[in-house]
Amino acid sequence: MLGVAHAAPTVAPARAQPRLRALVVIVDGLRPDLITTTRTPHLAAFGARGVVGGAHHAIVPTVTRVNASALVTGAGPSRHGILDNTIFLPAVDSARVLDTGNGAVMERADSILEHRLLTVPTLPDLLAARGLRMAVASSGSSGSAFLLAGAGRAPLVNTTMVRPRALETVVTQRLGPYEALEGAPNLVANARAVDALLRVVIDSLDPDVAMLWLSDPDHTAHRAGLGSMLADSAMRAVDREVGRVVAGLAGRGLDAQTTVFIVSDHGFSTQAGREAPLRQVLAPFRSSIVEAGGAVYLRSGHEQVLDSIVQTLQASPAVGAVFTHGARPGDLVGRSPGTLSFAAADWAHARAGDVLVSANWSHERNAADIPGWTALAGVAGHGTTSPYDIRATLLVAGPGIRRGDTSAVPTANSDIAPTILSLLGGRPAPSMSGRVLDELFRNRAPVAATRVRRDSAVASTTLPSGMRYRVTLHASTIGRTRYVDSTVVRRDSAAMLRPAH
Ligand SMILES: [Zn+2]
């Protein structure tokens, strides 16, 4: 069993120099193409003094808690086991799916699973083995904060959840009581999280590694839409908070010591707005299945509906890529005709369901001229294998980092933890599928273009209607680390297929 630190936090006495060597700032849902010198001057200036990653990837499924878990484990869902924002864990609750956004639910699940909610070692565990420690400040959901803290293995100061509980006194002493004033933009919560990072995490807990989660622009853009005035003001506000973080580090003399990674957990797309199309497609099968995010679990005794579910999904224009179990572990194509395998999506975990489905997408532009549309319900959001949901932000600056550079080399959220271990003089854990981002460092060899391998997996089928469905998954690989770039679906109706001459 993994070691769990539930002891009271050690509150360090005031000291001249904090220990902090690495800070990860997660700006929820920040699309890199929306960072500009006028809208987000602090982010732009931060990128200009370090490296701007031009090919950063969210982990698939491109939702918040899958990526929070990737950041703290250095691995994707096939290893860390958090398969979507809602998960089905019969060992914890066989009747209902669990909301990974609820910290109390996640804490209980972790306890029932004997601290194996995350099924690989976490960064706090790996740091502790080397006498180092991590702490988290967050204005995201309590569940995302709990997962980001390695399922509570690191101290966490979330706006609605503080662990260990003994830390609550310190938080109240330093920051005063918190009135939960959730808003859009989420100004009060984000400012509170930055205060928690500077005055509780750095000044009191004094960790070697810290993570800060800011809930905007995601929180606001979900409701108001990408490029709306409200989402724009959320980006400007969160940018000012990033400015406060940068100034707070400088004021503590940390510029020459602390490497800062600014990432987003996923990208963002404009959405269909209608009643959930995927739910409508699956409605005829409701009595046979359990749905957890984009995952479909067949109830026991209902295995025979699998082909029918897959074909119904493939026939629906709202549906993009469909994934099923591969026949063999390494197969990129799924067992059901016209599907990709779970392995292709790095989703092949013992907790996986029977089908994983991604909504369809297009390059279509919205009213604010921002490209990227998906068939998911709602105003705007993320979660698909669209390149607009996958492409995320990476800005890195610090003492050993190249200055004023950009990188087109693929990176992902699972690369951050191994890179932090490396800059602290360690090596990535065997459980990590992410790689050390050597190309960011001044004194390390850049990744040669020839080392980036591009490949694609294709699956196709002809449906009973005569419609031909074809899905292509594009991926990039560096060494043993594989990045899902996008999936593209084509449907040709029988009428469009010309007989061969
Ligand atoms: Zn998110």
Side-chain angles (χ1 to χ4, degrees):
M1 201 180 82
L2 301 169
V4 184
H6 280 307
T10 48
V11 177
R15 44 190 293 156
Q17 187 66 10
R19 295 160 61 112
L20 193 68
R21 295 279 306 281
L23 169 66
V24 185
V25 179
I26 302 102
V27 185
D28 201 318
L30 176 66
R31 266 175 67 148
D33 57 335
L34 300 184
I35 298 172
T36 67
T37 51
T38 49
R39 187 191 289 116
T40 56
H42 293 104
L43 285 161
F46 177 86
R49 67 183 175 88
V51 181
V52 176
H56 194 59
H57 292 64
I59 298 298
V60 172
T62 53
V63 293
T64 297
R65 272 82 75 182
V66 170
N67 280 275
S69 302
L71 285 160
V72 78
T73 60
S78 70
R79 296 180 185 218
H80 68 53
I82 301 298
L83 300 183
D84 214 307
N85 268 352
T86 52
I87 52 176
F88 185 47
L89 296 176
V92 176
D93 190 333
S94 59
R96 275 175 297 268
V97 296
L98 306 177
D99 175 11
T100 60
N102 186 320
V105 169
M106 290 298 95
E107 194 170 41
R108 181 172 163 273
D110 191 49
S111 173
I112 291 170
L113 297 171
E114 298 182 319
H115 306 295
R116 295 276 299 173
L117 176 62
L118 291 168
T119 48
V120 285
T122 66
L123 194 53
D125 295 324
L126 298 161
L127 292 170
R130 305 183 54 225
L132 303 171
R133 54 184 190 247
M134 178 178 135
V136 167
S138 165
S139 61
S141 67
S142 54
S144 90
F146 181 78
L147 290 166
L148 188 68
R153 283 166 180 80
L156 64 108
V157 184
N158 175 240
T159 37
T160 59
M161 182 184 202
V162 175
R163 292 291 182 276
R165 288 172 200 275
L167 186 55
E168 280 174 0
T169 314
V170 181
V171 173
T172 309
Q173 277 170 2
R174 295 257 167 170
L175 306 183
Y178 179 65
E179 286 182 55
L181 290 169
E182 289 259 308
N186 209 10
L187 304 175
V188 178
N190 288 329
R192 173 85 170 189
V194 171
D195 289 343
L197 170 77
L198 297 173
R199 294 165 56 199
V200 178
V201 167
I202 297 177
D203 292 349
S204 283
L205 298 173
D206 197 20
D208 304 273
V209 176
M211 295 203 189
L212 167 68
W213 192 288
L214 298 171
S215 64
D216 268 326
D218 175 282
H219 181 82
T220 303
H222 268 295
R223 304 163 190 205
L226 265 181
S228 64
M229 278 180 67
L230 213 53
D232 218 57
S233 67
M235 286 194 62
R236 291 171 196 272
V238 88
D239 181 71
R240 287 193 292 275
E241 294 301 337
V242 169
R244 281 216 301 137
V245 171
V246 171
L249 296 180
R252 286 164 177 77
L254 289 169
D255 278 354
Q257 173 187 314
T258 306
T259 301
V260 181
F261 302 78
I262 300 180
V263 302
S264 56
D265 49 343
H266 48 71
F268 230 80
S269 299
T270 299
Q271 294 180 339
R274 295 188 306 274
E275 190 66 23
L278 288 185
R279 292 191 68 86
Q280 282 173 11
V281 174
L282 290 168
F285 304 101
R286 189 117 308 133
S287 61
S288 301
I289 61 173
V290 174
E291 286 174 74
V296 176
Y297 293 76
L298 296 173
R299 292 182 193 278
S300 176
H302 293 260
E303 291 77 8
Q304 76 288 352
V305 300
L306 176 64
D307 286 347
S308 181
I309 287 176
V310 167
Q311 288 175 358
T312 304
L313 289 168
Q314 289 167 331
S316 165
V319 171
V322 181
F323 302 83
T324 58
H325 286 283
R328 290 178 304 269
D331 284 358
L332 296 179
V333 168
R335 240 182 272 165
S336 297
T339 65
L340 299 161
S341 74
F342 293 154
D346 192 22
W347 200 76
H349 190 279
R351 295 173 183 167
D354 297 284
V355 183
L356 175 66
V357 56
S358 175
N360 213 350
W361 67 272
S362 77
H363 293 291
E364 200 174 315
R365 288 173 180 269
N366 71 3
D369 205 33
I370 298 174
W373 176 94
T374 76
L376 284 172
V379 177
H382 49 90
T384 74
T385 45
S386 156
Y388 297 99
D389 285 354
I390 289 176
R391 179 66 71 246
T393 297
L394 174 69
L395 311 170
V396 190
I401 301 297
R402 293 173 192 275
R403 298 179 70 91
D405 208 353
T406 57
S407 173
V409 177
T411 59
N413 283 332
S414 51
D415 295 333
I416 304 302
T419 303
I420 287 173
L421 287 175
S422 174
L423 75 84
L424 293 172
R427 296 166 62 87
S431 56
M432 293 177 164
S433 51
R435 67 185 177 90
V436 177
L437 302 179
D438 285 319
E439 68 272 20
L440 303 177
F441 292 83
R442 273 203 293 276
N443 299 322
R444 301 190 191 181
V447 174
T450 50
R451 279 191 59 206
V452 183
R453 299 193 308 278
R454 314 277 179 187
D455 69 86
S456 54
V458 181
S460 64
T461 188
T462 302
L463 299 170
S465 65
M467 178 194 278
R468 191 149 177 78
Y469 169 96
R470 176 187 157 100
V471 58
T472 306
L473 180 142
H474 298 284
S476 306
T477 303
I478 299 174
R480 290 168 51 242
T481 303
R482 188 162 172 280
Y483 303 92
V484 176
D485 296 324
S486 66
T487 62
V488 178
V489 162
R490 265 194 66 180
R491 290 180 174 86
D492 300 305
S493 70
M496 290 167 65
L497 294 174
R498 306 236 164 123
H501 292 290

